[in-house]
Amino acid sequence: MSFVLPIAIGLLASTYLLFLVALHLTQNADEPSSMADSIPFFTPILKMGSEGVRFHRNMRDKYKIPIYTLRLPGTRLYIVNSLSLLPSIQRQFRTLSFTAIEASIAANLIGVTKATSKIMEHNVTSDDGYLMSFPRYVHSALSAGPGLDSMNRRSIQVIAKSLNEHAQEGPTTVNLFQWVRHELLMASTEGVYGPKNPFRDPAMEQAWYTFEPGMMTFLLKLFPRIFARESFKAREYMVRVWERYFNEGAYEQGSELIKARVKINNDFHIPLRETARIEIGGSQAILSNTLPATFWVIYHLFSDSVVLGDVREELSKGVRIDDSGTHSIDLSHVKSSCPILLSTFKETMRLYSTATATRIAMEDHRLDNKYLLKKGSTIIMPSSIYHTNREVWGETVDSFMHKRFIRKPGEKGVNPIAFRVFGGGTTLCPGRHFATTEILMFSALLVLRFDIEPKEGKWTAPSTAKSPVVPAMPIPDWDFPVELRPRDDGKPWKVSFSGYDRGMEIVAEDIGGAPADLHG
């Protein structure tokens, strides 16, 4: 027994030295510096586990370097801290590919067949490939024009109708997150899927809420049939519902977006039963971030009387009352004449977003003519790094400033590329205008028509420590009851749509005169 301890210590020391030698022999001097390697290959895992979402911020603040390497067993991660490197990464969208990651996500998350997966993986960096073609198919449906207008109109009509009904009921108590989540789910899905929207069935809505928390188990292939059993059953239930939707041709009464998604699958010879699976990913795109984002916007609008007063005042300037007493507001007023509301939305997104952009190096690449990125490695660009950068946002970076994004004459604005909520370049979220419009319009009607007070009398922001990892906007750890009190006499409100096809400056790529390399 006396030899056991020395032998164990010797084995540990030998293993440590082996790892240390392996690290130094396999780390090229031209690569970004390797950090968090006191225990080679394992320190990053331990620190990410203990520090959670603050890990990347802590590393940025400790080392203050533009980009660094994390060595993990079998792989490299390059963490990009510097905003100046992002345009270079975005320009190299074939060499530093997101579509290569996307193909793997599709296979694991939605469970497509090997044949469909092969179609998705074919020519993954070529314009002729399925995933590189996808933005072209959906572009017209999600850009300013009749396709987007129709989706916006339908989703806003659903919101207006629901709020009219709530106003007529008088004061009502609801659980805020649960209620907001339902309202936006119905508005979003009605806009996309049309009159035969499967989410009209409460069972479909509940299936989505059951599936979503287990998504990471699917992505990591951690035997979801066993360890995410309820999520697995919910996914398969939704697939069967989508099969009926597509087989019956219900999508033909839906939006241009859902028609475009069917068309690309048909053009690439993907059968409808697989289109049903792929639509799980389509639902994820329109729901996972929009629903919690709306909750946090509503929380910040109503929990601060100054924010509420400022937003209510600018919105009220666009309200019209006809001879019958019916109130109306035009969508164009909300989109173009309410900078405080838009700024509040963007500030909420800045503070809460956990979005992380990723790329895979398809070959060795010299980034910015300085840093060697090895083939097969993963490039990580966490939005939290850029959204909490004091050099960009100033000393109030950790505070909620609802007017932060309002441009002031003669004052230098924030570098627009620092706002990374919707990604950037070829991976810029194509649905950002649809999501932003419905969130703003829901918020506007709620601010104009209701007062909201917590039943416990005090606004307390829920924590988000237990939120699922996959959504880029965190889900609150707990819900709380609030009272909705109509501010008017319950008469209906209408939303008009003159000039509603105008775009908004949400991200750098939307701003006129933005550098061309932002669009790569």
Side-chain angles (χ1 to χ4, degrees):
M1 291 292 293
S2 60
F3 294 102
V4 173
L5 184 59
I7 291 173
I9 293 174
L11 286 173
L12 287 173
S14 299
T15 302
Y16 175 79
L17 288 173
L18 180 63
F19 286 161
L20 193 62
V21 170
L23 175 69
H24 287 285
L25 288 179
T26 57
Q27 182 75 16
N28 192 298
D30 290 338
E31 288 183 80
S33 300
S34 175
M35 298 296 176
D37 54 12
S38 55
I39 304 176
F41 306 107
F42 291 96
T43 295
I45 298 173
L46 297 173
K47 290 178 73 68
M48 283 189 277
S50 63
E51 298 176 19
V53 295
R54 291 195 60 85
F55 170 73
H56 295 301
R57 293 177 59 178
N58 292 342
M59 292 289 288
R60 176 202 63 194
D61 295 340
K62 181 178 181 179
Y63 295 108
K64 296 180 172 59
I65 54 178
I67 181 173
Y68 61 91
T69 305
L70 292 178
R71 297 295 302 275
L72 279 71
T75 190
R76 288 168 164 80
L77 304 181
Y78 299 121
I79 313 301
V80 182
N81 286 331
S82 174
L83 285 171
S84 65
L85 292 177
L86 298 185
S88 298
I89 294 171
Q90 291 177 181
R91 283 194 297 270
Q92 301 298 324
F93 59 89
R94 299 185 201 278
T95 303
L96 307 177
S97 171
F98 173 69
T99 50
I101 297 175
E102 201 173 8
S104 175
I105 290 174
N108 298 337
L109 181 63
I110 60 183
V112 294
T113 63
K114 289 182 179 180
T116 300
S117 184
K118 187 175 181 180
I119 292 171
M120 291 181 170
E121 293 170 355
H122 184 64
N123 289 338
V124 74
T125 61
S126 167
D127 289 339
D128 297 329
Y130 176 87
L131 291 172
M132 288 290 285
S133 298
F134 191 83
R136 295 197 303 274
Y137 275 80
V138 302
H139 180 269
S140 63
L142 291 169
S143 301
L148 179 60
D149 296 345
S150 178
M151 284 201 303
N152 282 336
R153 179 189 290 270
R154 178 58 185 154
S155 67
I156 291 169
Q157 288 172 338
V158 170
I159 289 168
K161 180 177 183 293
S162 180
L163 293 184
N164 277 338
E165 292 170 354
H166 278 289
Q168 291 166 7
E169 292 174 3
T172 307
T173 297
V174 298
N175 288 321
L176 187 59
F177 176 68
Q178 183 183 54
W179 178 70
V180 169
R181 180 176 66 173
H182 171 74
E183 294 292 312
L184 266 292
L185 178 138
M186 293 309 302
S188 301
T189 56
E190 285 286 323
V192 173
Y193 299 120
K196 295 186 177 180
N197 173 23
F199 284 95
R200 290 185 181 184
D201 184 348
M204 186 67 167
E205 180 178 358
Q206 186 55 52
W208 174 256
Y209 300 146
T210 301
F211 166 69
E212 190 175 30
M215 286 197 290
M216 184 55 72
T217 307
F218 288 93
L219 291 173
L220 298 178
K221 298 190 289 187
L222 298 176
F223 306 103
R225 284 177 181 264
I226 300 172
F227 297 110
R229 192 163 181 267
E230 294 305 312
S231 292
F232 184 88
K233 289 194 296 184
R235 186 188 74 176
E236 297 309 300
Y237 169 81
M238 289 190 289
V239 169
R240 292 192 296 273
V241 173
W242 286 122
E243 285 180 356
R244 290 196 299 271
Y245 177 83
F246 290 115
N247 285 331
E248 294 171 2
Y251 68 90
E252 295 174 357
Q253 300 177 52
S255 67
E256 293 304 310
L257 174 62
I258 191 61
K259 294 173 187 175
R261 295 209 283 239
V262 172
K263 178 172 173 52
I264 185 174
N265 291 341
N266 289 342
D267 288 352
F268 279 82
H269 307 292
I270 294 175
L272 275 181
R273 65 178 181 277
E274 288 291 279
T275 295
R277 280 197 177 276
I278 294 170
E279 197 50 41
I280 300 293
S283 299
Q284 191 271 336
I286 65 173
L287 297 177
S288 279
N289 298 319
T290 299
L291 309 190
T294 309
F295 166 80
W296 292 114
V297 171
I298 297 305
Y299 176 87
H300 282 284
L301 283 170
F302 285 89
S303 63
D304 188 319
S305 59
V306 174
V307 178
L308 182 61
D310 287 347
V311 172
R312 190 170 274 169
E313 181 180 1
E314 68 175 5
L315 284 168
S316 296
K317 295 175 182 178
V319 176
R320 301 291 179 263
I321 305 174
D322 65 18
D323 294 338
S324 68
T326 298
H327 294 66
S328 65
I329 188 168
D330 198 277
L331 176 58
S332 64
H333 175 77
V334 176
K335 290 175 66 173
S336 63
S337 301
C338 295
I340 301 176
L341 175 59
L342 180 59
S343 178
T344 301
F345 162 77
K346 294 175 72 172
E347 178 70 345
T348 302
M349 301 292 278
R350 181 190 74 85
L351 272 181
Y352 286 92
S353 173
T354 57
T356 298
T358 56
R359 304 287 189 277
I360 284 183
M362 305 301 288
E363 59 188 53
D364 285 359
H365 176 71
R366 185 76 65 166
L367 177 63
D368 204 32
N369 295 318
K370 296 179 183 177
Y371 306 103
L372 175 63
L373 307 183
K374 300 284 286 183
K375 179 181 178 179
S377 299
T378 303
I379 299 91
I380 305 289
M381 296 162 281
S383 63
S384 61
I385 288 178
Y386 316 120
H387 294 167
T388 59
N389 188 328
R390 290 186 183 277
E391 294 181 3
V392 173
W393 305 101
E395 291 305 311
T396 61
V397 65
D398 295 321
S399 302
F400 185 89
M401 308 290 289
H402 70 294
K403 294 183 179 180
R404 186 185 300 276
F405 288 88
I406 295 178
R407 296 182 182 180
K408 299 176 183 177
E411 188 174 294
K412 184 180 179 181
V414 171
N415 181 354
I417 199 174
F419 186 67
R420 305 294 298 175
V421 169
F422 294 101
T426 55
T427 60
L428 180 66
C429 174
R432 66 193 181 279
H433 289 288
F434 175 57
T436 300
T437 297
E438 62 178 348
I439 293 173
L440 292 181
M441 202 66 224
F442 177 76
S443 301
L445 289 174
L446 208 56
V447 164
L448 288 169
R449 302 201 60 185
F450 294 88
D451 288 319
I452 301 179
E453 291 291 341
K455 293 295 287 184
E456 296 181 358
K458 181 181 179 182
W459 288 95
T460 302
S463 61
T464 59
K466 299 176 183 177
S467 177
V469 176
V470 174
M473 291 297 291
I475 292 172
D477 289 341
W478 65 82
D479 208 347
F480 55 94
V482 298
E483 184 178 61
L484 296 176
R485 293 198 302 271
R487 300 179 66 237
D488 50 48
D489 55 7
K491 288 187 176 181
W493 281 56
K494 295 192 299 186
V495 178
S496 53
F497 297 90
S498 64
Y500 63 96
D501 58 343
R502 299 171 186 170
M504 289 178 286
E505 293 184 352
I506 303 170
V507 296
E509 287 84 348
D510 297 324
I511 298 173
D517 57 16
L518 294 184
H519 302 267

